[in-house]
C-alpha cells in the first residue's frame, strides 16, 4: 500500500484514520481540505483544483483524505487502496489491489 485514498461521509473518521495510518505506515497524509480551502473559506477555482490534484497524485506515496467528487476519478485511478466510510462511523469498506 503506497497510495491510500480515504473517502466517505463527513464526520465519519477519515482524518482520524489517516493520522493513525500515517503513524503505522510512515506515509505522508494529504488532507484535501487544507489544499482546497483558502483563507476566509474561499474555494480554490476548479481549474486550479484539478491541477493541484494532478500534482498531489503524482507523489510516490500518500494517504489522501477527503471527498471532492469532481476529482475522485483521478484519485481512484492512481490509488492502490481505497477505504470508504459509510454514513455510520462503524461502517467501513476497504478495497486493495
Amino acid at each position: 500500500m503506497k497510495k491510500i485514498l480515504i473517502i466517505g461521509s463527513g464526520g465519519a473518521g477519515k482524518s482520524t484514520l489517516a493520522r493513525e495510518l500515517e503513524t503505522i505506515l510512515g506515509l505522508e497524509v494529504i488532507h484535501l481540505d487544507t489544499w482546497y480551502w483558502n483563507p476566509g473559506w474561499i474555494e480554490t477555482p476548479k481549474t486550479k483544483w484539478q491541477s493541484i490534484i494532478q500534482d498531489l497524485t503524482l507523489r510516490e506515496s500518500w494517504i489522501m483524505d477527503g471527498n471532492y467528487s469532481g476529482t475522485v476519478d483521478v484519485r481512484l485511478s492512481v490509488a492502490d487502496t481505497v477505504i470508504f466510510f459509510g454514513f455510520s462511523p462503524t461502517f467501513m469498506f476497504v478495497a486493495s489491489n
Side-chain angles (χ1 to χ4, degrees), residues 19-71:
R19 287 189 297 271
E20 291 289 327
L21 290 175
E22 177 183 36
T23 301
I24 295 166
L25 301 173
L27 299 176
E28 173 191 17
V29 172
I30 300 170
H31 297 288
L32 292 181
D33 283 346
T34 62
W35 289 87
Y36 184 77
W37 294 104
N38 297 294
W41 293 101
I42 306 297
E43 297 176 54
T44 298
K46 289 185 194 293
T47 54
K48 184 176 180 185
W49 181 238
Q50 291 285 338
S51 177
I52 289 170
I53 292 297
Q54 288 291 339
D55 290 345
L56 291 173
T57 58
L58 290 175
R59 294 182 181 186
E60 184 178 333
S61 61
W62 40 258
I63 300 165
M64 194 172 290
D65 141 35
N67 291 318
Y68 301 97
S69 62
T71 60

